[in-house]
Amino acid sequence: MTTPLEGQAEIPIVLTATMVPAVTGAALVDPAARLAEYAKAVQFYVRHAPVIFLENSSYPLERHAEFRETARLQVKRFPPSASPERGKGHQEFEMLDAWLAAEARPPVRWLKITGRYQILNIQSLLSECRQDPDSGLIIDQVPRADMARTYVFCASTDFYRERLRGLYRQCDDRTGAWIEWVLFHELKGRPAAEVHLFVTQPRINAIAGSSGAAYPTGRGQWLGKQILRRLNRLVDRQYLWYPK
């Protein structure tokens, strides 16, 4: 019998999590506080799509009812990275690689979100992903910053395995090889039909992991960026050119 995560009518949300961070430069390091934010995110997203929760710090999640598996929630545990000094991006994409390697029947497409972030207009992003089944990757790329925004992207498993598997090995925050930079340069030259940006401006409710600053959630500011994004896509579907 096909489970909700095996079917393709719904695109699952993959939440990446590290309950006990093993890196420097993280603004929120208290496991209890991080647990509360991850639990809120899971509770929010399971109302909209099946959730696959990936965690890589060996924290005893089984003690917490919020992470008990259901028809809408799968929890996948991975050992801590052997190279935490290389940074958050290295560890996150190492975990994504491990997840796909362990799945006998992975989803065809999935929407990855940094686990503590709530994207308030998630339904719009999921709808966009469903309506764009031929793209390999939907991700916001910003040439002026030389980066790809990795907090949210929609990937096909085939594209990830072909183009992004093993990419984490190039990451090392100590030398400035952030995952955002590494991914941006890996994607250079890919056609816009294969890799392009979101139509929808994500509206984020979260605290930035590196700075500890809250993302602005005002609708007016979001609407202004949404208009700029639509205008941007009239001339360039692949890259974002307006200011942050």
Side-chain angles (χ1 to χ4, degrees):
M1 181 176 179
T2 301
T3 71
L5 295 187
E6 290 171 345
Q8 296 307 317
E10 291 187 287
I11 292 179
I13 294 171
V14 175
L15 297 180
T16 54
T18 301
M19 209 64 66
V20 183
V23 295
T24 59
L28 184 64
V29 296
D30 176 41
R34 294 174 71 86
L35 178 89
E37 291 198 358
Y38 286 130
K40 287 179 182 177
V42 168
Q43 184 180 34
F44 173 75
Y45 286 121
V46 293
R47 302 198 303 264
H48 302 282
V51 170
I52 305 171
F53 187 83
L54 312 182
E55 204 279 334
N56 66 347
S57 74
S58 298
Y59 183 90
L61 283 174
E62 63 277 2
R63 298 178 184 175
H64 302 276
E66 305 96 309
F67 298 96
R68 185 175 298 125
E69 290 197 347
T70 68
R72 301 285 286 178
L73 174 65
Q74 287 187 8
V75 177
K76 305 290 185 178
R77 310 298 307 281
F78 300 92
S81 173
S83 303
E85 70 279 359
R86 287 179 171 266
K88 293 181 290 185
H90 174 96
Q91 295 177 74
E92 180 180 47
F93 276 69
E94 181 181 37
M95 182 165 57
L96 288 170
D97 277 26
W99 163 59
L100 288 177
E103 288 289 347
R105 297 181 61 188
V108 173
R109 291 169 64 77
W110 36 278
L111 182 65
K112 176 268 169 188
I113 302 173
T114 297
R116 295 186 299 108
Y117 288 20
Q118 292 181 41
I119 298 179
L120 302 181
N121 54 345
I122 186 62
Q123 281 287 19
S124 295
L125 269 71
L126 287 168
S127 177
E128 184 178 336
C129 296
R130 287 193 295 269
Q131 294 170 18
D132 189 11
D134 298 324
S135 63
L137 187 68
I138 307 175
I139 189 170
D140 287 347
Q141 298 186 80
V142 187
R144 291 179 178 179
D146 215 27
M147 62 169 287
R149 294 177 178 168
T150 60
Y151 68 85
V152 57
F153 59 81
C154 180
S156 78
T157 291
D158 286 346
F159 182 90
Y160 186 97
R161 284 174 165 169
E162 180 181 354
R163 296 292 174 186
L164 307 185
R165 180 166 50 188
L167 195 66
Y168 71 90
R169 298 188 183 97
Q170 301 178 35
C171 298
D172 194 331
D173 290 4
R174 299 168 299 180
T175 63
W178 311 94
I179 183 59
E180 294 84 357
W181 182 90
V182 170
L183 182 56
F184 179 80
H185 286 273
E186 176 66 25
L187 296 175
K188 275 187 174 180
R190 306 309 308 171
E194 185 177 79
V195 179
H196 55 80
L197 56 87
F198 285 102
V199 176
T200 304
Q201 174 71 31
R203 190 176 175 200
I204 309 166
N205 179 24
I207 302 296
S210 57
S211 67
Y215 283 89
T217 57
R219 182 167 178 80
Q221 186 176 27
W222 170 83
L223 184 58
K225 288 186 176 182
Q226 179 65 65
I227 293 170
L228 284 173
R229 181 179 290 263
R230 292 297 177 95
L231 294 174
N232 190 130
R233 279 182 58 90
L234 291 176
V235 295
D236 192 342
R237 295 179 67 247
Q238 193 161 15
Y239 296 112
L240 281 175
W241 294 97
Y242 61 83
K244 183 176 179 182

